[in-house]
Amino acid sequence: EVDLEERLVELDLRSDSDIPDVPPPTDSTPEILKKALSGLSARWKNWWIRGILTLAMISVFFLIIYLGSFMLMLLVLSIQVKCYHEIITIGYRVYHSYDLPWFRSLSWYFLLCVNYFFYGETVADYFATFVQRREQLQFLIRYHRFISFALYLTGFCMFVLSLVKKHYRLQFYMFAWTHVTLLITVTQSHLVIQNLFEGMIWFLVPISSVICNDITAYIFGFFFGRTPLIKLSPKKTWEGFIGGFFSTVVFGFVFSYFLAQHQYFVCPVEYNSETNRFVTECEPSELFQMKKYSVPPLLQALLGWETVNMYPFQMHSIALSTFASLIGPFGGFFASGFKRAFKIKDFADTIPGHGGIMDRFDCQYLMATFVHVYITSFIRGPNPSKLLKQLLILQPEQQLSVYKTLKSHLVEKGILEPSLRG
């Protein structure tokens, strides 16, 4: 019995070098592309495959933007699920030889629980008037957090019941693996949707800046790259990093100028319960109204301008683009370190020349958190529309109490006449 215990403990404490290799992904490049590019070297073949697939993905992305906010939310949810699947699959492949009980089932169950919690919070925040008209939804929203906790607690108890003596440590490894994956994918995708509700421009500019930086850094590195940037990603170069930075800042500034002219992109996304549709109609805020700025003296001699007309949001786009090009890549470096730890080249082989979905969105999740923090810290103020929705779901006596308190306050401020009746 003692010898068996010692052998199991030794198995449980295997070093990283003993971790089973993950089977390499297969080449999913379409045969028509393989034949068309068969005469090129591997380097140029990869260039053309990446370029063609990048243009195809950008075209699909523009089509989804045209289809509206709801389709963008579905896109975010789909990407979240696929990224989660790719990371969980790596864990499953690495530890599949142990035959851990319920690992995959519990992983997907926890994904369902966390999505139920976050999307329920979104419904409560942005669809209050819709919920108010449906009694069944009122119950779900009122007890939403309790139901979410009960669902999670069920999964937690199932995990405890699944523990097997000889696999305790590995099972807790995978429990932590699942929760960290949820933190990276579900939480961040929730922030992406929160940013989208602030206005499509807060969704498009950050995401497009990351895409632009990824493309331009690759191009500059491909043609001019000589100096390695970081050991985690040997193909990354300082030339690509610097070229990507300046290109992204210019792109973000110009792209913001175009988007700021259209209500469709700058107005907060709101749900119209009468038409059962998302609407983007409003009086644009000061961020999206043209203003005149004085050009710094040093630049006046260079540009020949004393003043320049631009949208205030364009100044914010510089901050977003700077983060996307200087800090955003560290999300990619983190992913590179993760893949090296498990001896894999890509998270999956979903997109030929690019790898998995997670390989394309490793920087986007970090960007989403920054944008959310940036909006809450420097942009967002009191939201009358959201406050009104919350007032409408109060009981009549509570609404009357709020009305009397507000009236008394306005009278004290001298905004209403004391004799005004209501």
Side-chain angles (χ1 to χ4, degrees):
E1 180 68 27
V2 175
D3 291 340
L4 178 61
E5 287 290 337
E6 290 177 352
R7 188 164 63 84
L8 291 175
V9 170
E10 183 181 354
L11 180 67
D12 209 21
L13 294 175
R14 295 191 308 176
S15 64
D16 286 350
S17 61
D18 296 323
I19 292 176
D21 290 345
V22 178
T26 57
D27 184 6
S28 58
T29 306
E31 288 298 327
I32 187 172
L33 274 180
K34 287 183 181 180
K35 291 180 180 179
L37 304 175
S38 59
L40 299 176
S41 65
R43 186 168 182 260
W44 279 101
K45 186 183 296 184
N46 185 61
W47 160 271
W48 279 105
I49 291 173
R50 286 176 67 98
I52 292 170
L53 269 296
T54 296
L55 291 175
M57 288 188 290
I58 291 174
S59 300
V60 172
F61 184 54
F62 278 121
L63 174 62
I64 294 174
I65 292 171
Y66 174 77
L67 294 176
S69 305
F70 183 70
M71 294 304 296
L72 283 172
M73 294 177 199
L74 289 181
L75 174 66
V76 172
L77 177 61
S78 302
I79 291 172
Q80 172 222 114
V81 172
K82 182 57 180 171
C83 288
Y84 182 83
H85 170 259
E86 291 177 357
I87 299 175
I88 288 296
T89 298
I90 292 173
Y92 179 76
R93 286 175 176 174
V94 170
Y95 296 115
H96 76 283
S97 59
Y98 293 96
D99 193 25
L100 299 182
W102 300 355
F103 167 59
R104 267 194 153 174
S105 300
L106 283 175
S107 296
W108 288 104
Y109 177 80
F110 281 126
L111 176 67
L112 180 65
C113 291
V114 176
N115 269 307
Y116 176 82
F117 170 74
F118 279 121
Y119 279 93
E121 293 287 303
T122 300
V123 169
D125 283 343
Y126 295 98
F127 299 83
T129 52
F130 175 78
V131 171
Q132 189 181 18
R133 297 179 180 181
R134 288 161 175 79
E135 190 173 343
Q136 302 89 341
L137 290 180
Q138 287 182 27
F139 173 82
L140 293 176
I141 294 300
R142 182 174 182 179
Y143 300 104
H144 170 67
R145 295 192 177 183
F146 180 81
I147 294 172
S148 300
F149 178 70
L151 290 172
Y152 177 83
L153 202 59
T154 301
F156 179 82
C157 292
M158 290 170 65
F159 167 75
V160 174
L161 292 173
S162 74
L163 291 173
V164 178
K165 186 176 182 180
K166 64 179 182 179
H167 294 322
Y168 285 160
R169 188 183 296 266
L170 281 171
Q171 285 183 286
F172 278 101
Y173 283 164
M174 301 316 296
F175 184 77
W177 181 296
T178 298
H179 282 67
V180 171
T181 305
L182 289 170
L183 177 66
I184 292 172
T185 57
V186 183
T187 306
Q188 308 302 320
S189 63
H190 173 70
L191 296 182
V192 171
I193 292 179
Q194 293 290 306
N195 298 339
L196 177 60
F197 275 109
E198 295 294 328
M200 205 177 291
I201 195 169
W202 291 105
F203 173 85
L204 294 177
V205 171
I207 285 181
S208 300
S209 295
V210 171
I211 294 172
C212 174
N213 183 70
D214 190 40
I215 294 173
T216 54
Y218 177 77
I219 292 174
F220 276 95
F222 186 87
F223 288 106
F224 309 109
R226 297 291 183 274
T227 313
L229 175 64
I230 187 170
K231 290 182 179 179
L232 282 173
S233 297
K235 292 183 179 180
K236 297 290 193 297
T237 64
W238 275 104
E239 291 80 3
F241 186 73
I242 295 170
F245 165 69
F246 286 106
S247 301
T248 303
V249 171
V250 172
F251 167 81
F253 193 82
V254 174
F255 190 48
S256 299
Y257 175 81
F258 168 75
L259 295 182
Q261 302 176 47
H262 305 279
Q263 278 193 12
Y264 182 72
F265 297 115
V266 304
C267 291
V269 177
E270 296 183 347
Y271 179 77
N272 188 322
S273 58
E274 295 181 359
T275 60
N276 288 328
R277 295 179 59 189
F278 288 100
V279 295
T280 50
E281 298 176 357
C282 68
E283 180 66 30
S285 68
E286 292 184 358
L287 280 178
F288 308 108
Q289 295 180 12
M290 190 72 74
K291 290 187 178 181
K292 182 178 291 187
Y293 292 89
S294 298
V295 177
L298 291 176
L299 294 178
Q300 287 184 14
L302 179 65
L303 300 175
W305 302 333
E306 294 185 357
T307 61
V308 61
N309 292 326
M310 56 183 290
Y311 295 100
F313 180 82
Q314 290 179 270
M315 303 299 292
H316 295 289
S317 75
I318 296 175
L320 300 178
S321 300
T322 299
F323 184 91
S325 53
L326 296 185
I327 307 299
F330 280 84
F333 302 151
F334 176 86
S336 295
F338 178 89
K339 289 182 285 188
R340 281 177 171 269
F342 292 96
K343 306 173 186 177
I344 56 176
K345 183 177 182 292
D346 297 311
F347 282 95
D349 57 355
T350 309
I351 312 170
H354 292 270
I357 299 295
M358 190 65 196
D359 290 288
R360 292 300 92 214
F361 287 87
D362 46 15
C363 301
Q364 295 287 5
Y365 286 126
L366 194 61
M367 188 71 193
T369 305
F370 172 73
V371 174
H372 185 75
V373 172
Y374 189 89
I375 291 173
T376 54
S377 301
F378 305 111
I379 304 298
R380 183 186 294 161
N383 189 333
S385 176
K386 190 173 180 179
L387 180 61
L388 181 60
K389 289 178 181 177
Q390 293 173 334
L391 287 174
L392 291 175
I393 63 176
L394 295 177
Q395 297 298 322
E397 58 272 15
Q398 293 174 315
Q399 293 175 342
L400 188 59
S401 176
V402 171
Y403 167 74
K404 290 179 179 178
T405 303
L406 180 61
K407 177 185 174 184
S408 176
H409 174 75
L410 294 176
V411 169
E412 289 178 4
K413 290 281 187 178
I415 299 174
L416 288 182
E417 294 292 332
S419 58
L420 182 66
R421 297 179 180 274

